[in-house]
Amino acid sequence: MSNDYDRIRAGIEFMSAYVSGNDLMTSYVAQRRREDPMATEVLMDGAAALCALLLGKMARDTGKTQHELLQELAHGIHRREQQSGD
């Protein structure tokens, strides 16, 4: 990717397809792969760039460090998985 704007835009497109459901996500990824053999790497890079941007915003908004937020997310996911496994 050439710049942060393009990386974030790719991440937004990818996550928009993700939240729209499996069928749209599968179709979107297949189309991107047809257009660009390196699409998987581009999509992962874009998603990571978008996550980093959002994590930075959350850290500024909450006054917590990015590491603290990631730990909270990990603990929350672990608790949810344990509760759903019971």
Side-chain angles (χ1 to χ4, degrees), residues 20-41:
S20 296
N22 281 341
D23 290 342
L24 185 57
M25 176 71 167
T26 301
S27 174
Y28 175 76
V29 171
Q31 176 187 348
R32 290 296 307 264
R33 283 185 180 149
R34 283 191 300 274
E35 295 169 359
D36 179 4
M38 299 295 293
T40 302
E41 289 80 8

Side-chain angles (χ1 to χ4, degrees), residues 1-14 41-52:
M1 291 251 120
S2 59
N3 59 48
D4 285 342
Y5 174 79
D6 289 337
R7 293 174 70 209
I8 300 296
R9 185 177 48 79
I12 290 169
E13 288 176 7
F14 183 56
E41 289 80 8
V42 171
L43 295 174
M44 288 186 334
D45 179 68
L50 177 60
C51 286

Side-chain angles (χ1 to χ4, degrees), residues 17-84:
Y18 176 82
V19 300
S20 296
N22 281 341
D23 290 342
L24 185 57
M25 176 71 167
T26 301
S27 174
Y28 175 76
V29 171
Q31 176 187 348
R32 290 296 307 264
R33 283 185 180 149
R34 283 191 300 274
E35 295 169 359
D36 179 4
M38 299 295 293
T40 302
E41 289 80 8
V42 171
L43 295 174
M44 288 186 334
D45 179 68
L50 177 60
C51 286
L53 177 73
L54 294 172
L55 187 60
K57 180 179 179 357
M58 286 177 63
R60 286 187 302 279
D61 289 352
T62 64
K64 296 178 182 181
T65 67
Q66 292 179 4
H67 186 73
E68 289 172 317
L69 292 168
L70 290 170
Q71 284 183 327
E72 287 178 10
L73 287 168
H75 291 303
I77 290 168
H78 180 71
R79 276 192 305 274
R80 189 175 348 158
E81 285 177 351
Q82 288 196 333
Q83 289 171 351
S84 66

